[in-house]
Amino acid sequence: MTSANLRDASVRYALVAALKSEQSPAAKAAIFGALQPTPLATEDLAPLLEELRVIYDTGQPELRAAALVHWAQWDRGDGIAPLLRDGLYDDSPQVVLGAVTAVALSNVRTQEMKEALLLLANDAAPDSEARVAALDALRDFSLSRTEDAIFRESEAALADGIDDSSGFT
């Protein structure tokens, strides 16, 4: 399905009907994965976001992570901020990684998001995917000197962790 097709109300209504009738959250997530995010009016986007919420609420970490990423691609507003915040502090590493990816894709650049990313960049294992993703996402934030110092320390720890694991210290 192309992005131009979703601007057609009848195509959008058919898509929403198909999503609502689909019982499997994994199948719903696959449908979103096959779609090209399209800028839509808030009112037109709302039914799609409702279906993403259904996917997110399943409790399955891989689906919750996918829902966050898809949501960030579709909704360019701040409405996703509470979900991102919750995802960044989730117990599942998969959801945390999905949330970090979603922050990077979104337009949400709040102090709260920045602080959560700085915590991840500083607290995650030196060579973890979460640290790498958090550092990458932080490149799109303005940082104070203190925050920049934390960022640089975390970057150095990442480099040291990679050097140590490769045997080239």
Side-chain angles (χ1 to χ4, degrees):
M1 195 170 283
T2 67
S3 60
N5 289 343
L6 290 178
R7 291 185 184 272
D8 179 332
S10 63
V11 171
R12 211 173 36 258
Y13 293 143
L15 171 64
V16 170
L19 284 165
K20 286 187 181 299
S21 69
E22 178 56 59
Q23 296 301 307
S24 165
K28 288 182 188 218
I31 291 169
F32 273 101
L35 294 173
Q36 169 132 9
T38 304
L40 296 170
T42 306
E43 302 83 8
D44 296 334
L45 186 58
L48 294 170
L49 296 181
E50 287 173 20
E51 293 304 312
L52 281 172
R53 185 61 192 223
V54 169
I55 298 167
Y56 182 79
D57 287 343
T58 65
Q60 298 174 10
E62 66 278 0
L63 294 179
R64 291 174 53 225
L68 287 173
V69 171
H70 293 311
W71 200 309
Q73 292 171 323
W74 284 89
D75 184 3
R76 306 309 290 170
D78 291 338
I80 191 175
L83 289 174
L84 293 176
R85 180 195 58 239
D86 292 348
L88 290 171
Y89 293 106
D90 199 270
D91 291 335
S92 166
Q94 196 169 6
V95 174
V96 171
L97 194 53
V100 172
T101 302
V103 169
L105 292 170
S106 76
N107 291 330
V108 179
R109 296 293 178 266
T110 64
Q111 184 66 27
E112 185 177 31
M113 292 300 131
K114 181 173 31 172
E115 289 172 3
L117 291 170
L118 284 166
L119 281 172
L120 280 170
N122 195 38
D123 291 344
D127 60 347
S128 75
E129 285 182 81
R131 178 173 280 202
V132 172
L135 287 168
D136 285 343
L138 281 165
R139 295 181 199 289
D140 289 334
F141 284 79
S142 297
L143 302 175
S144 69
R145 283 191 178 137
T146 302
E147 293 164 342
D148 185 57
I150 295 167
F151 177 87
R152 290 175 188 272
E153 285 178 30
S154 191
E155 254 187 340
L158 176 65
D160 289 346
I162 290 172
D163 288 345
D164 290 343
S165 67
S166 64
F168 298 105
T169 56

